[in-house]
Amino acid sequence: MLTKQELEEFWAGAGKMYLNHISIDCVVFGFHEGQMKVLMLKSNNEEAWYLPGGFVQKQEPIENAADRILKERTGIDEIFLQQFHVFGDPDRSKVHNEMYKDMLPAEKNFFAQRFISIGYYALVDFFNVIPTPDDFSEVCTWRDLNDLPKFQLDHELIFKTALDTLRLQLNYQPIGYNLMPKEFTMPELQKLYETILDKKLDRRNFQRRMLGFGILNKLEATRKGGAHKAPYLYSFDLDNYQAALKEGLKSGW
Amino acid sequence: MLTKQELEEFWAGAGKMYLNHISIDCVVFGFHEGQMKVLMLKSNNEEAWYLPGGFVQKQEPIENAADRILKERTGIDEIFLQQFHVFGDPDRSKVHNEMYKDMLPAEKNFFAQRFISIGYYALVDFFNVIPTPDDFSEVCTWRDLNDLPKFQLDHELIFKTALDTLRLQLNYQPIGYNLMPKEFTMPELQKLYETILDKKLDRRNFQRRMLGFGILNKLEATRKGGAHKAPYLYSFDLDNYQAALKEGLKSGW
DNA sequence: TACAATTGTGTACCAATTACACCATGTGTT
DNA sequence: AACACATGGTGTAATTGGTACACAATTGTA
């Protein structure tokens, strides 16, 4: 162990040695009636697109930072937000570093610094969102999952990891409270799952399994208007939903 | 979007505004013959114990930082290491801040800064480890899971989150390659699972399920020496093991 | 040689998942 | 009004997976 004198010196030096930039990158998945999109931004100066993100302020819990950043990009609060991975390769910002190297003196080149990025993903109904560009972009818009642009930095890795994580978590977590209207039909909920997983599910088995989780209330009313038999309406049982979020939907060993 | 002038000013300011300290805290679970322990450290000046940890250097990938820190504390490389959560509450270091407040001038009080900590957990055979104190501790030793000391800061939360995550991941990930000898018997492997989960498993069902994963090779030889029927020896099929690590052991929807 | 402890293997049972059949309901066509 | 058609609601058989337990085999020891 160090002496008190050495300790003080260590702390004084460490204050500079170990400082890093911490950013949040957020994969915002938008859903509406069987469509699934990602929110992306782009500057006119560059070809590549990037994910909504920002920096964590010194006295700010990271959850708050993620909420704040998302509110700025989408206009909405209380989004379903899930932290999923930290991306910390020092080469992450190499591209930017190269780009600004000639424009800016070294001590002002922010991207010569090291970045660590905390990855979050968010689920929203994209009809509730007003995409708003940030200080480094002119364009902020929804991109279809089947028509993705070129990504900046390691944002493609972040996006793919988010999608994989989301699909995995579908097995253990309830989903949809922020994505469905207050009252919805079973086929509508099934469509959400099919969209995320990108595959067809059997409607009868889906229904039974979903009801088995005990997070839905069956309502009296039915959804009229379609050219077919009117399906029953459901709403989420919020208590059970919250409980399932915490404890998961399946047990293990 | 900002003008070039504004951008330069932003970067110059941001360089100071958003710098944070990033540390790694690592829950090292040690196993041997049915025992499970955690590696912990303690300074003579304080009562509370803390987890192995350290700071991420500017030009260092975080995975490397975790490896480096663990090598310093345990003497071993190539440990099974899993990132599981980021702890970023600004109040995390409050206790230390209070403690050093009177000892150190504010600008030298490292703990007045914000800390963000990336949580990892590691699995090792504790007979392979030489616990080595760091610069802030005199004691570095294994603590039994049933006899845990008082924790510093939010290290109890980190520890509990790690244990929960480990138990959850047992359902989806193979485990044991770094913890078992090259050749081992089924009861020995079962003991590892029982130790982690802290419950008894049925040996016949365990065997069938384990073999079903296809990550084990049954060997000709048996383990002689016990006062009972000699069990068969197994080894891990490394190819299948690695594949299962990536793809998981179960499928979902 | 009998016994205790432990391992190897099989099987009956229950729960969950999958696949599919059949009926009900609302709309448009004739 | 009769009918086809698309879709939703419900039931059920077949399959799979997990749990509980029975019984035979092996090894060292009394």
Side-chain angles (χ1 to χ4, degrees):
Chain A
M1 176 150 178
L2 303 178
T3 64
K4 183 163 177 279
Q5 173 71 24
E6 286 168 331
L7 262 178
E8 280 192 34
E9 282 165 24
F10 173 84
W11 290 135
K16 287 169 198 162
M17 264 182 71
Y18 299 124
L19 284 172
N20 283 275
H21 294 288
I22 301 186
S23 62
I24 284 178
D25 284 316
C26 193
V27 182
V28 185
F29 293 109
F31 300 90
H32 201 89
E33 289 179 3
Q35 286 190 289
M36 182 169 180
K37 298 171 184 285
V38 209
L39 195 62
M40 297 202 72
L41 299 100
K42 183 181 165 305
S43 145
N44 284 344
N45 303 329
E46 298 180 46
E47 262 199 52
W49 294 63
Y50 62 95
L51 298 167
F55 295 98
V56 180
Q57 290 166 5
K58 270 191 178 169
Q59 282 307 317
E60 185 182 39
I62 49 178
E63 290 292 331
N64 290 24
D67 283 338
R68 173 178 54 79
I69 289 163
L70 241 61
K71 168 102 187 189
E72 288 167 9
R73 272 330 111 247
T74 65
I76 50 174
D77 279 317
E78 314 237 335
I79 291 178
F80 176 87
L81 252 179
Q82 176 89 33
Q83 182 196 117
F84 68 94
H85 197 75
V86 179
F87 298 86
D89 185 334
D91 290 337
R92 290 188 67 228
S93 47
K94 199 160 60 179
V95 182
H96 273 94
N97 187 16
E98 296 291 318
M99 202 167 63
Y100 285 98
K101 190 168 65 181
D102 302 325
M103 281 171 58
L104 299 172
E107 74 277 10
K108 285 192 179 176
N109 184 352
F110 194 60
F111 289 106
Q113 309 275 346
R114 155 63 166 289
F115 285 81
I116 280 181
S117 197
I118 304 174
Y120 278 80
Y121 71 83
L123 307 178
V124 300
D125 182 328
F126 62 69
F127 271 37
N128 297 334
V129 167
I130 302 159
T132 311
D134 62 17
D135 288 343
F136 317 109
S137 57
E138 283 90 12
V139 183
C140 176
T141 188
W142 292 105
R143 301 288 314 216
D144 201 276
L145 279 211
N146 301 313
D147 175 35
L148 291 173
K150 189 163 172 282
F151 287 83
Q152 255 184 26
L153 307 173
D154 57 352
H155 283 203
E156 183 161 11
L157 173 65
I158 297 179
F159 165 76
K160 281 185 174 158
T161 310
L163 186 54
D164 286 345
T165 309
L166 169 60
R167 285 178 176 162
L168 194 67
Q169 300 220 341
L170 267 199
N171 293 310
Y172 318 113
Q173 288 205 345
I175 219 166
Y177 180 67
N178 301 301
L179 305 178
M180 304 299 294
K182 260 218 158 57
E183 305 188 341
F184 52 90
T185 68
M186 199 59 87
E188 287 164 1
L189 184 61
Q190 183 180 336
K191 196 118 205 163
L192 174 64
Y193 275 74
E194 291 181 335
T195 305
I196 295 175
L197 296 168
D198 195 27
K199 69 171 154 185
K200 282 270 160 210
L201 301 173
D202 185 284
R203 79 193 156 83
R204 293 148 289 195
N205 298 331
F206 177 83
Q207 175 147 345
R208 190 154 15 138
R209 182 162 173 181
M210 214 64 211
L211 290 175
F213 292 151
I215 57 171
L216 296 180
N217 295 319
K218 188 171 186 172
L219 307 178
E220 296 289 315
T222 54
R223 166 92 77 228
K224 306 274 180 182
H228 315 289
K229 177 166 183 176
Y232 284 104
L233 288 169
Y234 293 86
S235 66
F236 284 107
D237 180 325
L238 205 45
D239 286 347
N240 291 354
Y241 188 93
Q242 299 285 7
L245 261 183
K246 275 196 179 178
E247 296 163 30
L249 292 171
K250 279 189 200 174
S251 61
W253 281 86
Chain B
M1 174 150 180
L2 303 178
T3 64
K4 184 167 177 277
Q5 173 71 23
E6 286 170 332
L7 262 177
E8 280 193 32
E9 281 166 21
F10 172 84
W11 290 136
K16 286 169 196 162
M17 266 183 71
Y18 299 124
L19 284 171
N20 283 276
H21 295 289
I22 302 187
S23 61
I24 284 178
D25 284 316
C26 193
V27 182
V28 185
F29 293 109
F31 298 90
H32 202 89
E33 289 178 4
Q35 286 190 289
M36 182 168 179
K37 297 171 185 282
V38 209
L39 195 62
M40 297 201 72
L41 298 99
K42 186 181 163 306
S43 145
N44 285 344
N45 303 329
E46 299 179 46
E47 262 198 51
W49 294 61
Y50 62 95
L51 297 167
F55 296 97
V56 179
Q57 290 166 4
K58 271 192 178 169
Q59 283 306 318
E60 185 182 41
I62 49 178
E63 290 292 329
N64 289 25
D67 283 338
R68 172 178 54 77
I69 289 162
L70 241 63
K71 169 101 187 190
E72 288 167 8
R73 271 332 111 247
T74 65
I76 49 174
D77 279 317
E78 315 238 335
I79 292 179
F80 175 88
L81 251 178
Q82 177 90 30
Q83 180 194 315
F84 68 95
H85 197 73
V86 179
F87 298 86
D89 185 335
D91 290 337
R92 289 189 66 227
S93 47
K94 198 161 61 181
V95 182
H96 273 94
N97 187 16
E98 296 291 319
M99 201 168 64
Y100 285 98
K101 192 168 63 179
D102 302 325
M103 281 173 58
L104 299 172
E107 74 279 9
K108 283 192 179 177
N109 184 354
F110 194 60
F111 289 106
Q113 308 277 346
R114 154 66 165 287
F115 285 80
I116 281 183
S117 196
I118 304 173
Y120 279 79
Y121 71 82
L123 307 178
V124 300
D125 182 329
F126 61 70
F127 270 38
N128 297 333
V129 167
I130 302 157
T132 311
D134 63 16
D135 288 343
F136 317 108
S137 57
E138 284 90 11
V139 183
C140 176
T141 188
W142 292 106
R143 301 288 313 217
D144 200 276
L145 279 210
N146 301 314
D147 174 36
L148 291 174
K150 189 163 173 282
F151 287 83
Q152 256 185 25
L153 307 174
D154 58 351
H155 283 203
E156 183 161 11
L157 174 65
I158 297 178
F159 165 76
K160 280 185 175 160
T161 310
L163 186 55
D164 287 345
T165 308
L166 169 60
R167 285 177 176 162
L168 195 66
Q169 300 220 343
L170 266 199
N171 293 310
Y172 318 113
Q173 288 205 346
I175 220 167
Y177 180 67
N178 301 301
L179 305 178
M180 304 298 295
K182 258 220 159 56
E183 304 188 343
F184 53 89
T185 68
M186 199 60 85
E188 286 164 1
L189 184 60
Q190 182 180 338
K191 197 119 206 164
L192 174 64
Y193 275 75
E194 291 181 336
T195 306
I196 295 176
L197 295 168
D198 195 26
K199 70 171 153 184
K200 282 268 162 213
L201 301 173
D202 184 283
R203 82 195 154 82
R204 294 148 288 194
N205 298 331
F206 177 83
Q207 174 147 347
R208 191 150 20 126
R209 182 162 175 182
M210 214 63 212
L211 290 175
F213 292 150
I215 57 173
L216 296 180
N217 294 318
K218 188 170 186 173
L219 306 178
E220 295 291 316
T222 54
R223 167 94 76 225
K224 306 275 181 183
H228 317 289
K229 176 166 182 176
Y232 285 104
L233 288 169
Y234 293 86
S235 66
F236 284 107
D237 178 325
L238 205 45
D239 286 347
N240 290 355
Y241 188 92
Q242 299 285 7
L245 261 183
K246 277 196 178 180
E247 296 163 30
L249 292 170
K250 279 188 202 176
S251 61
W253 281 86

